[in-house]
Amino acid sequence: MSDSSLRSELLAHCAVVVLTKNEVENLGACLAVIPPELDRVVVDSGSTDGTVELARSLGCEVLEHPWGGFAGQRNTALHALRENYGWALFIDADEIYGVEFFEWMSGFLSNPGDVEVVDVSSRIVLAGRKLNHAPGYPIYHPRLVRTGRPVFIVNASNHGETIVADAVTRRIDIPYDHHSIGSDLRPWLEKHIRLAEMEVRGGRSHPRGRMTLRARMNGLLAAGPGRALARFVYHYVLRLGFLDGIAGFRYAAMYAWYEQTKWLLKKGPSE
C-alpha cells in the first residue's frame, strides 16, 4: 500500500466536526484547508444566515441540534458518530488548521495506543494579527477525541468545557490559528457580556472534570477591580504581550475589561 493510500485509510476513520450558529462568513475558509479524505459533519444550533445551506453545498453532513452548551454539542456529535468513526476532530468555524497538523494526525491514528483525547495548542489571531505572546502560550484544547463515550463536561465558568478527569490524554504543540477577534470589536464585546453573565451564575467544576493549571489559577484570585488589573499585567507584562505591539495591548485590555465586567455584574448596581 502506498503512503498516500495508507494516509487516506487512516484519515477515513476520523470525521471533522464543526459546531455552528450563523457562521456563514467563517465556514468556507475553515473547511477549505481540511484534507478531502476527512468527512465533515456540521452540528448546527439554529443558524438563520445560510450556514446550513452552505455546509450542505460544501459536502457536509448536517446535524441540527438545539444549543446545549459546548460540552453538550460535542457529546451529541460523539454519540452520532460512534457507529461509523473511531475519532472526531473538533474544529470551530473560526479556526484554521495547518497541513503539519493533519500530517501528524495521520501518523498518530496509525498507533494511538490507549489515548482518548488529544489536546491541541492554539494561537490567537486578533484582527488579522497573530499574537505570539499576550495570550500566554501554550494554550491547549481537547480537539481530537475518540467517539466511544461522552467525555465533555461543563467547566467552572458555566459556559466552557473540560473533559472527564479519568480520560487518557496526550498533548501536541502544533497550533491552529483561532480567528476569534475580528476588526469589529462589537460582536466580541456582546458575546463576552453574555459569557460574563453565565460565569457569574456558574458554580464549581463537576467533580469528575479535569482542572487545568490555568483554571486553578483563575480560581485563586478573588473578584474585584484588582483582578482586572492582574489580568492586564499577566497578559501584557508577565507573558510579554508588549512584544505583540498594539495588538498585545488591545488583547490585555480586552480581557481586563472582561474581568471588570464580571465583577460589576456580580456586584450589581450601587445603591
Side-chain angles (χ1 to χ4, degrees):
M1 182 181 294
S2 68
D3 289 345
S4 60
S5 297
L6 178 60
R7 178 176 183 269
S8 297
E9 182 178 336
L10 291 169
L11 292 181
H13 292 288
C14 179
V16 168
V17 178
V18 185
L19 307 185
T20 62
K21 183 175 182 180
N22 295 332
E23 292 285 359
V24 72
E25 293 185 2
N26 295 318
L27 186 60
C30 170
L31 296 176
V33 298
I34 296 172
E37 300 94 334
L38 286 165
D39 289 340
R40 301 102 184 272
V41 178
V42 165
V43 181
D44 190 81
S45 55
S47 292
T48 57
D49 67 345
T51 294
V52 169
E53 292 76 11
L54 175 62
R56 288 183 172 134
S57 74
L58 294 173
C60 301
E61 178 184 354
V62 176
L63 302 177
E64 298 186 64
H65 189 272
W67 181 248
F70 285 104
Q73 296 299 94
R74 297 195 200 282
N75 285 335
T76 294
L78 292 175
H79 179 78
L81 296 177
R82 72 191 189 286
E83 297 294 335
N84 297 316
Y85 302 95
W87 293 85
L89 174 62
F90 290 98
I91 302 179
D92 289 348
D94 57 0
E95 297 172 351
I96 305 293
Y97 279 63
V99 173
E100 184 183 0
F101 173 81
F102 292 110
E103 291 294 338
W104 173 86
M105 188 177 83
S106 63
F108 167 76
L109 292 177
S110 69
N111 185 24
D114 58 354
V115 173
E116 294 178 89
V117 178
V118 176
D119 292 309
V120 185
S121 60
S122 67
R123 176 171 49 206
I124 303 297
V125 182
L126 193 160
R129 169 72 184 269
K130 292 182 180 179
L131 298 178
N132 295 314
H133 302 280
Y137 300 120
I139 301 171
Y140 289 97
H141 298 283
R143 286 294 186 256
L144 183 59
V145 183
R146 284 190 191 267
T147 59
R149 62 167 174 154
V151 298
F152 290 97
I153 297 174
V154 177
N155 68 12
S157 71
N158 206 33
H159 56 74
E161 88 247 313
T162 186
I163 58 173
V164 292
D166 65 345
V168 180
T169 64
R170 176 177 174 177
R171 285 182 169 181
I172 180 67
D173 191 11
I174 304 177
Y176 58 85
D177 289 339
H178 187 189
H179 296 258
S180 60
I181 309 168
S183 55
D184 183 359
L185 197 56
R186 285 173 296 184
W188 186 93
L189 293 171
E190 293 169 356
K191 173 184 176 181
H192 279 75
I193 289 174
R194 295 194 301 271
L195 296 183
E197 291 172 336
M198 295 175 69
E199 191 161 344
V200 167
R201 297 194 303 265
R204 289 184 291 179
S205 291
H206 193 290
R208 291 186 297 130
R210 179 182 67 175
M211 287 286 285
T212 64
L213 176 60
R214 183 181 291 258
R216 293 181 190 278
M217 290 175 61
N218 189 52
L220 292 175
L221 193 59
R227 186 182 177 101
L229 177 60
R231 187 77 185 261
F232 180 87
V233 170
Y234 172 79
H235 289 299
Y236 195 65
V237 180
L238 298 181
R239 302 308 305 221
L240 307 182
F242 59 88
L243 295 178
D244 289 320
I246 188 63
F249 180 86
R250 288 183 63 198
Y251 183 90
M254 288 161 61
Y255 279 93
W257 170 88
Y258 178 58
E259 295 296 341
Q260 190 75 349
T261 299
K262 289 189 290 184
W263 177 68
L264 290 170
L265 288 172
K266 188 174 183 179
K267 180 178 176 58
S270 58
E271 295 181 2

